């Protein structure tokens, strides 16, 4: 039985609802009749052994995972649980190496669990704000020089569609006896390409997917996957770790859509994903013909390099809006477009028409990110100490020499100019102002 059919049967039964939620199935919004709480037969997310467990098992099988836990609170919950699994496994605060383009959820996890991130700075400066993938060699050098690191944490894909060499990084981690966690929030679909490049397949021990970003799932639906190669203890620790941070009232609507998606994933959805990637590849080919650069390595995402086409990214996003298209993200340099099998052919044709009509302009100078990547802020205290301290907000011009109390990023997740616990310098202030961050929280 699917969770949706359970909810529909319940709604049709005419039973008197003397339980939460307060809407009692009466429509204000439209979905109330099938929005339930954890009543008898509906199962409990964090102690699932009924219809939720069945849907999770179908999902795990589709991904080849030892176990998959659903999240009704996105990857934000799965990421906190992932760090918690490690902490409970080792029985002490863990040291995790990560590039600085991590999502806030990872910083929150480190804060709450007092895990200590070791920042992995790439050898050569990257050119885009959200891009910070490190190479296997860079990871190797760090692990050779620091034998106290318990895990490596990689964000791949990054927000702009950059992909890290997860296979190479996982081989390095394995050879050092270090675990690999991948924030694959943007890549739940990567399992279902002709060549499976999901991080779990490529050797990660724990992977966090935002199912809702690329699959037909309501906003908030996500996965925490545990690899078959991870220690068995990880599976046992997964649910209690999700429960430590998750709400005791997970949305039944989100879980129903996770359940339906699980069944689609073991049915026709993989083929639809492949077709969508083929269709996206045709748009990418057209862009190449037209001389418009796409800097996304992802097959279901296009990132228009606006500057090389002669535009500011935010202006280009406005032009798309005028043609009735909304992007996922834009900044001065780039415009990110996310596709899925549920985009219509008309959507693709509209985009292609726009690209064909786009007047060619001389390339615009890209705002250099070199200053951001050159920063190596001094760590004065841990994230936890800084984030849980009393702080005040001051204009950034007044912040020189003070200790940052809240990590400052220009967008989520981009490379942070300064993390909580680091000292703010004149160089950092220059970079913050460049990204229009004009106030800072300081201890
Ligand atoms: C790279 C990355 N990780 C994690 C998250 C958090 O995911 P969610 O919104 O599903 O909680 C996001 C959200 O945009 C993200 O871009």
């Amino acid at each position: 039985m699917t969770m949706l059919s359970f909810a529909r049967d319940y709604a049709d039964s005419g039973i008197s609802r003397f339980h939460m939620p307060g809407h009692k199935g009466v429509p204000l919004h439209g979905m109330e009749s099938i929005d339930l709480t954890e009543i008898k037969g509906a199962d409990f997310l964090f102690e699932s052994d009924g219809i939720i467990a069945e849907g999770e098992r179908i999902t795990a099988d589709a991904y080849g995972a030892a176990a998959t836990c659903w999240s009704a609170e996105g990857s934000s919950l799965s990421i906190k649980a992932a760090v918690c699994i490690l902490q409970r496994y080792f029985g002490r605060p863990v040291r995790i190496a990560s590039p600085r383009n991590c999502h806030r959820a990872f910083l929150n996890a480190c804060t709450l669990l007092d895990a200590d991130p070791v920042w992995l700075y790439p050898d050569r400066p990257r050119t885009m704000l959200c891009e910070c993938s490190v190479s296997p060699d860079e990871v190797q050098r760090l692990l050779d020089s620091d034998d106290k690191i318990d895990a490596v944490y990689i964000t791949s894909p990054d927000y702009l569609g950059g992909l890290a060499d997860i296979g190479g990084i996982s081989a390095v981690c394995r050879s050092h006896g270090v675990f690999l966690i991948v924030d694959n929030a943007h890549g739940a679909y990567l399992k279902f390409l002709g060549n499976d490049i999901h991080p779990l397949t490529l050797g990660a021990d724990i992977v966090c997917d935002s199912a809702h970003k690329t699959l037909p799932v309501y906003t908030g639906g996500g996965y925490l996957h545990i690899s078959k190669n991870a220690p068995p203890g990880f599976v046992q620790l997964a649910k209690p770790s999700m429960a430590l941070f998750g709400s005791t009232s997970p949305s039944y609507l989100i879980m129903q859509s996770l359940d339906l998606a699980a069944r689609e994933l073991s049915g026709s959805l993989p083929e639809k994903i492949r077709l969508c990637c083929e269709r996206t590849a045709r748009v990418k080919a057209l862009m190449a013909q037209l001389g418009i650069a796409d800097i996304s390595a992802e097959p279901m995402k296009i990132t228009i390099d606006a500057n090389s086409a002669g535009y500011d990214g935010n202006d280009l996003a406005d032009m798309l809006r005028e043609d009735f298209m909304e992007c996922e993200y834009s900044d001065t340099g780039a415009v990110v477009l996310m596709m899925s099998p549920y985009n219509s052919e008309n959507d693709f044709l509209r985009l292609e028409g726009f690209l064909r009509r786009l007047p060619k302009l001389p390339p615009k100078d890209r705002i250099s990110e070199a200053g951001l990547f050159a920063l190596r802020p001094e760590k004065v205290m841990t994230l936890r100490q800084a984030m849980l301290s009393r702080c005040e907000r001051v204009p950034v011009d007044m912040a020189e020499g003070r200790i940052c109390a809240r990590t400052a990023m220009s967008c989520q997740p981009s490379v942070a100019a300064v993390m909580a616990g680091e000292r703010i310098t004149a160089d950092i202030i220059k970079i913050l102002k460049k990204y229009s961050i004009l106030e800072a929280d300081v201890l």
Side-chain angles (χ1 to χ4, degrees):
M1 186 196 313
T2 66
M3 294 181 71
L4 178 60
S5 57
F6 173 83
R8 281 198 179 132
D9 288 351
Y10 189 76
D12 292 344
S13 70
I15 198 165
S16 298
R17 301 187 185 204
F18 292 115
H19 59 74
M20 298 179 269
H23 57 59
K24 308 296 177 189
V26 176
L28 262 179
H29 176 255
M31 307 293 279
E32 287 84 347
S33 68
I34 53 168
D35 178 36
L36 301 180
T37 184
E38 294 169 323
I39 51 168
K40 191 170 166 57
D43 208 359
F44 295 87
L45 178 58
F46 298 131
E47 281 144 43
S48 56
D49 62 1
I51 55 178
I52 295 177
E54 185 191 327
E56 289 181 316
R57 174 44 52 200
I58 295 171
T59 312
D61 289 346
Y63 281 90
T68 297
C69 302
W70 285 349
S71 163
E73 295 161 74
S75 288
S76 300
L77 173 57
S78 314
I79 290 167
K80 291 196 231 34
V83 176
C84 184
I85 290 171
L86 281 187
Q87 197 103 325
R88 285 172 140 165
Y89 178 79
F90 284 105
R92 57 167 169 76
V94 282
R95 262 163 79 76
I96 306 182
S98 169
R100 281 169 79 92
N101 65 339
C102 51
H103 188 265
R104 186 171 56 207
F106 176 65
L107 303 176
N108 291 347
C110 291
T111 300
L112 293 168
L113 295 161
D114 204 11
D116 194 16
V118 177
W119 299 119
L120 241 164
Y121 292 97
D123 286 348
R124 58 174 176 84
R126 303 307 200 236
T127 51
M128 306 296 284
L129 194 56
C130 310
E131 175 202 2
C132 196
S133 69
V134 288
S135 66
D137 285 349
E138 287 163 333
V139 174
Q140 166 103 30
R141 273 196 291 284
L142 179 74
L143 296 185
D144 284 347
S145 67
D146 185 339
D147 62 2
K148 298 270 180 316
I149 289 173
D150 300 301
V152 170
Y153 179 95
I154 300 286
T155 302
S156 174
D158 65 33
Y159 206 31
L160 301 178
L163 291 169
D165 177 358
I166 297 296
I169 293 172
S170 87
V172 170
C173 287
R174 221 169 309 120
S175 72
H176 285 76
V178 162
F179 293 113
L180 175 63
I181 303 176
V182 178
D183 171 353
N184 182 51
H186 288 256
Y189 74 101
L190 295 175
K191 173 80 190 167
F192 307 100
L193 310 175
N195 62 330
D196 169 2
I197 53 166
H198 191 274
L200 211 57
T201 313
L202 299 179
D205 295 287
I206 306 180
V207 180
C208 306
D209 293 351
S210 294
H212 67 94
K213 291 195 198 303
T214 55
L215 302 180
V217 168
Y218 279 135
T219 299
Y223 306 134
L224 174 76
H225 302 292
I226 309 293
S227 163
K228 287 181 177 161
N229 299 321
F234 280 21
V235 172
Q236 272 90 58
L237 290 169
K239 282 277 175 183
S241 298
M242 294 289 267
L244 188 63
F245 299 106
S247 166
T248 50
S249 304
S251 159
Y252 214 70
L253 292 173
I254 294 176
M255 291 192 286
Q256 283 166 46
S257 78
L258 284 167
D259 191 36
L260 293 176
R263 290 153 207 274
E264 289 288 310
L265 284 174
S266 30
S268 60
L269 189 52
E271 178 58 14
K272 289 183 190 156
I273 289 172
R274 281 193 286 279
L275 290 175
C276 176
C277 291
E278 275 172 35
R279 187 65 187 90
T280 306
R282 278 166 36 213
V283 183
K284 287 175 181 255
L286 173 70
M287 287 174 66
Q289 250 176 40
L290 296 170
I292 303 169
D294 163 36
I295 50 172
S296 164
E298 268 192 75
M300 226 164 64
K301 184 183 271 175
I302 289 177
T303 302
I304 305 174
D305 179 351
N307 298 157
S308 72
Y311 293 87
D312 174 281
N314 292 322
D315 293 344
L316 198 59
D318 281 340
M319 292 165 69
L320 280 160
R321 268 173 214 120
E322 278 164 26
D323 269 15
F324 225 59
M325 285 171 278
E326 186 61 48
C327 64
E328 162 61 26
Y329 168 78
S330 71
D331 61 21
T332 56
V335 179
V336 176
L337 306 170
M338 292 174 73
M339 282 72 187
S340 103
Y342 298 88
N343 278 112
S344 65
E345 177 58 18
N346 195 36
D347 293 337
F348 283 102
L349 291 174
R350 190 177 279 168
L351 176 59
E352 286 174 340
F354 173 88
L355 294 167
R356 283 202 179 89
R357 287 191 306 276
L358 188 68
K360 302 281 158 330
L361 301 178
K364 241 174 122 62
D365 283 344
R366 182 194 300 289
I367 294 181
S368 166
E369 308 297 355
L372 175 65
F373 283 99
L375 296 174
R376 296 284 186 279
E378 175 203 358
K379 178 174 167 180
V380 185
M381 57 179 68
T382 65
L383 275 176
R384 181 182 174 89
Q385 285 166 335
M387 295 270 277
L388 301 184
S389 288
R390 290 178 60 144
C391 67
E392 60 173 337
R393 183 159 293 183
V394 297
V396 284
D397 280 324
M398 311 281 290
E400 189 175 346
R402 310 278 302 262
I403 299 166
C404 175
R406 195 165 57 89
T407 298
M409 298 183 182
S410 61
C411 74
Q412 272 293 326
S414 63
V415 176
V418 61
M419 298 276 184
E422 294 175 343
R423 193 179 307 284
I424 299 175
T425 60
D427 283 345
I428 290 173
I429 292 171
K430 249 191 257 158
I431 300 289
L432 292 176
K433 284 162 85 173
K434 179 174 149 185
Y435 297 115
S436 308
I437 299 172
L438 302 179
E439 291 183 317
D441 287 344
V442 293
L443 260 64

